[in-house]
Structures are given as structure tokens and as C-alpha cells.
């Protein structure tokens, strides 16, 4: 076979792999006007969260940036206002690795906001190389990616129900394929692996969505989970050096931009097609079945009960 034919085949293969890896097929086409609606986005000062906030501001929503770093959040807010002309962009501090901070934030929202139309649980981290426990005794990846959002969502449910029809959007990942919830190791009591922790936490997002959907029946509040694709972001900031090299150097050409990665979040938040859809998993702005680990109703129910206890919602 001629060398140029081989080269052409390699290029085609790389393009196909890029399409599969990043999921660049789906873009939100909705022009829905969000004027008069309030949206909260956790982790909205950078990456997918900031891109989502910017697009929802373009849709004229009142956008609350729920972020740990106030200075970065204020810089993001200023950027969003400059680009969109929408001045109704607000910064609120919350540390999604600390349950007390989540409770304080939720109380402030419930006392200060008359309505909440969309909650986007976006903030997340990829696991640090060494086991790290939060002040609540939770493993850091699980605390940030699942337990904090579980608590926040439950604390805001009354406001979401009052504002119905309203939507909850959980940013998960196709990484849930490799996740397995070990109920005897939710605080890394027995072992810890950073890659497994991330995959497990993304599976928790799917299971949380499934069980919450059942509990929201008849309330006018919908909840859906999504895979944003693999995105150039700060997600890997706490990971070991070799993971950073892989995703920040070698795989850069194959990763989505934050704008591309935000498309599913935007679609779930604003599109008319998703207005009455609930309990689904969305990828490339299309509803798909999650992988098998995400379809275990028994695990979803048990995770809910354990999460209630570990976050202090029940004794």
C-alpha cells in the first residue's frame, strides 16, 4: 500500500476518534428566551461552567455563579457581562467540598431569591493522587462531585418546586461506564484510587438523577444527567502529573473547547424538547441510555439513603 494511502487512512481514523472522543456532533439550537428566569450554576468561573453561564446570559437569564474562588468568579462575571450585555449576573461564594458552606449558600438563596428555574450541578474535580478527606470526613472527589450537589439540590428543592416548571441538570460523564459504587468505601475507608474515584463519582451522578426523578414525580421539576464530552478545562488540576500531561498536552487536539462542552448543559436547561423530559441521560444533545452500571435502581435507592445520612439530611 502506498505511503500516502496509509497517511490518509491514519488521518481519517484520527478524525473519527476525535468525533467519538469529544462528542462534537451535538449543538444546542434553542433560541429560547430565559428572560425572567433564574439559573444557578456551580463551578461557573471557568471551563464548562463559565461557558454555560455565558450562553444562558445570552438567553437573557438571571445567572448566579456559585463558586469557591470569589475573585475568579467576579472576573468571569465581568467577562460574561462584557460579552453578552446582560448585567444580571451574580456571584455567590460556595465551597462544594464543604457541607457547611453548601448549607450557608442554600440558606442565602432560599432567603434572598423569590424563584429558581434551573439548577445546574456542574462543579467537579478529578481525583487527587493521594487520599484526601474533607472537614466532614468525606473523600474529596466524592464530596465535591456527588455529596455536595446531593445536599444542595435537596436544600433547594422547595424553591425549585415553588418555581415549577423548573429543571435540575447534573453534569456527569461517560466515565460512569467504569464506575462501581462500593458502599463500604464511600469515605475511602478501605482503599483509594484517583481514577476509580472519579468514575465512581460520575456514576453516583447518574444514580442520583435516577432516584431523584422518581421522587419528583408530579412536582413539575425535571432532572436529567449528561455527558459533556472530554473538555479542555481545569478538571485535571488536582490529578497526578502524568494525567495532566496526558490531557493537557498529548490529547489537547482531541478535546472539546469549553463552549462545545457546554452544549448539553445548555440544551437540558433551555430547550423546549427537554421541557417535560426527566430521568434521562443526554449526550450530544440526544437522549441515550446510560451504561449498565447507571441503570441499577437498587443501587440508586441505596445511594440516596446513604447520602442522606452522610450529608446530615437524616440522622
Amino acid at each position: 500500500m502506498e505511503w500516502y494511502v496509509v497517511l490518509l487512512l491514519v488521518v481519517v481514523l484520527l478524525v473519527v476518534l476525535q468525533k467519538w472522543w469529544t462528542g462534537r456532533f451535538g449543538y444546542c439550537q434553542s433560541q429560547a428566551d430565559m428572560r425572567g428566569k433564574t439559573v444557578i450554576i456551580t463551578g461557573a468561573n471557568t471551563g464548562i461552567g463559565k461557558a454555560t453561564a455565558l450562553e444562558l446570559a445570552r438567553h437573557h437569564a438571571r445567572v448566579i455563579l456559585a463558586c469557591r474562588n470569589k475573585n475568579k468568579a467576579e472576573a468571569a462575571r465581568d467577562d460574561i457581562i462584557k460579552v453578552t450585555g446582560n448585567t444580571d449576573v451574580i456571584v455567590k461564594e460556595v465551597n462544594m467540598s464543604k457541607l457547611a458552606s453548601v448549607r450557608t449558600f442554600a440558606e442565602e438563596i432560599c432567603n434572598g431569591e423569590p424563584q429558581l428555574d434551573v439548577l445546574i450541578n456542574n462543579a467537579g474535580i478529578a481525583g487527587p493522587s493521594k487520599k484526601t478527606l474533607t472537614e466532614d470526613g468525606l473523600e474529596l472527589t466524592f464530596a465535591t462531585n456527588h455529596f455536595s450537589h446531593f445536599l444542595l439540590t435537596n436544600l433547594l428543592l422547595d424553591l425549585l418546586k415553588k418555581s415549577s416548571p423548573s429543571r435540575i441538570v447534573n453534569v456527569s460523564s461517560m466515565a460512569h461506564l467504569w464506575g462501581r459504587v462500593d458502599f463500604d468505601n464511600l469515605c475511602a475507608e478501605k482503599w483509594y484510587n484517583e481514577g476509580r474515584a472519579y468514575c465512581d463519582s460520575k456514576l453516583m451522578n447518574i444514580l442520583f438523577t435516577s432516584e431523584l426523578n422518581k421522587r419528583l414525580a408530579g412536582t413539575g421539576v425535571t432532572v436529567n444527567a449528561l455527558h459533556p464530552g472530554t473538555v479542555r478545562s481545569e478538571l485535571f488540576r488536582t490529578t497526578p502529573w502524568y494525567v495532566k500531561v496526558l490531557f493537557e498536552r498529548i490529547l489537547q487536539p482531541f478535546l472539546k473547547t469549553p463552549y462545545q462542552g457546554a452544549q448539553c448543559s445548555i440544551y437540558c436547561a433551555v430547550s423546549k424538547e427537554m421541557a417535560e423530559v426527566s430521568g434521562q441521560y443526554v449526550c450530544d444533545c440526544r437522549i441515550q441510555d446510560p451504561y449498565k452500571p447507571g441503570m441499577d435502581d437498587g443501587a440508586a435507592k441505596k445511594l440516596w439513603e446513604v447520602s442522606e445520612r452522610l450529608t446530615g439530611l437524616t440522622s
Side-chain angles (χ1 to χ4, degrees), residues 58-100:
R58 277 196 174 121
H59 284 261
H60 309 294
R62 170 180 168 82
V63 182
I64 298 176
L65 313 180
C67 305
R68 176 179 57 86
N69 189 312
K70 186 177 181 181
N71 290 335
K72 288 186 177 180
E74 289 175 344
R77 175 200 60 199
D78 294 344
D79 287 345
I80 292 168
I81 292 174
K82 183 177 180 180
V83 171
T84 67
N86 182 348
T87 59
D88 207 1
V89 181
I90 313 299
V91 170
K92 298 283 187 182
E93 281 190 85
V94 60
N95 187 329
M96 297 303 290
S97 69
K98 298 181 178 181
L99 298 182

Side-chain angles (χ1 to χ4, degrees), residues 127-129 194 236-250:
S129 58
E194 66 271 13
F236 305 102
R237 63 187 179 275
T238 60
T239 57
W241 67 268
Y242 52 86
V243 177
K244 290 181 181 178
V245 169
L246 176 65
F247 285 96
E248 295 179 2
R249 302 283 184 178
I250 299 173

Side-chain angles (χ1 to χ4, degrees), residues 259-275:
Y259 170 76
Q260 292 165 332
Q263 293 304 305
C264 259
S265 296
I266 299 163
Y267 178 73
C268 290
V270 308
S271 71
K272 292 181 180 179
E273 296 90 337
M274 295 296 292

Side-chain angles (χ1 to χ4, degrees), residues 33-39 115-119 157-168 216 218-223 268-272 274-278:
D33 193 330
M34 299 284 283
R35 211 179 309 266
K37 295 185 182 295
T38 298
V39 179
Q115 69 183 71
L116 176 58
D117 302 278
V118 183
L119 170 63
L157 271 184
D158 285 345
L159 183 57
L160 284 159
K161 291 175 182 177
K162 173 187 170 184
S163 309
S164 66
S166 53
R167 309 185 192 191
I168 301 167
L216 288 175
T219 65
V221 184
T222 64
V223 57
C268 290
V270 308
S271 71
K272 292 181 180 179
M274 295 296 292
E276 297 182 4
V277 174
S278 191

Side-chain angles (χ1 to χ4, degrees), residues 49-214:
K50 181 181 176 182
T52 303
L54 190 149
E55 291 306 310
L56 293 184
R58 277 196 174 121
H59 284 261
H60 309 294
R62 170 180 168 82
V63 182
I64 298 176
L65 313 180
C67 305
R68 176 179 57 86
N69 189 312
K70 186 177 181 181
N71 290 335
K72 288 186 177 180
E74 289 175 344
R77 175 200 60 199
D78 294 344
D79 287 345
I80 292 168
I81 292 174
K82 183 177 180 180
V83 171
T84 67
N86 182 348
T87 59
D88 207 1
V89 181
I90 313 299
V91 170
K92 298 283 187 182
E93 281 190 85
V94 60
N95 187 329
M96 297 303 290
S97 69
K98 298 181 178 181
L99 298 182
S101 179
V102 172
R103 289 182 179 278
T104 299
F105 171 78
E107 183 178 6
E108 184 177 355
I109 293 298
C110 290
N111 291 337
E113 296 293 332
Q115 69 183 71
L116 176 58
D117 302 278
V118 183
L119 170 63
I120 302 180
N121 291 318
N122 166 82
I125 63 169
S129 58
K130 294 182 180 180
K131 170 183 171 179
T132 305
L133 297 182
T134 69
E135 63 183 32
D136 304 293
L138 301 171
E139 190 280 313
L140 179 62
T141 309
F142 292 168
T144 306
N145 294 2
H146 168 67
F147 288 116
S148 61
H149 286 111
F150 173 88
L151 177 62
L152 177 63
T153 302
N154 275 283
L155 294 176
L156 296 179
L157 271 184
D158 285 345
L159 183 57
L160 284 159
K161 291 175 182 177
K162 173 187 170 184
S163 309
S164 66
S166 53
R167 309 185 192 191
I168 301 167
V169 179
N170 294 325
V171 179
S172 181
S173 168
M174 67 174 290
H176 76 273
L177 165 63
W178 298 286
R180 298 292 184 275
V181 180
D182 184 346
F183 287 101
D184 295 321
N185 196 54
L186 289 182
C187 298
E189 301 95 330
K190 299 190 301 182
W191 55 268
Y192 173 77
N193 174 273
E194 66 271 13
R196 173 71 185 273
Y198 179 75
C199 294
D200 289 358
S201 72
K202 295 293 101 179
L203 174 58
M204 291 178 188
N205 297 155
I206 300 286
L207 296 175
F208 169 46
T209 299
S210 175
E211 181 64 20
L212 179 58
N213 173 57
K214 295 177 181 178

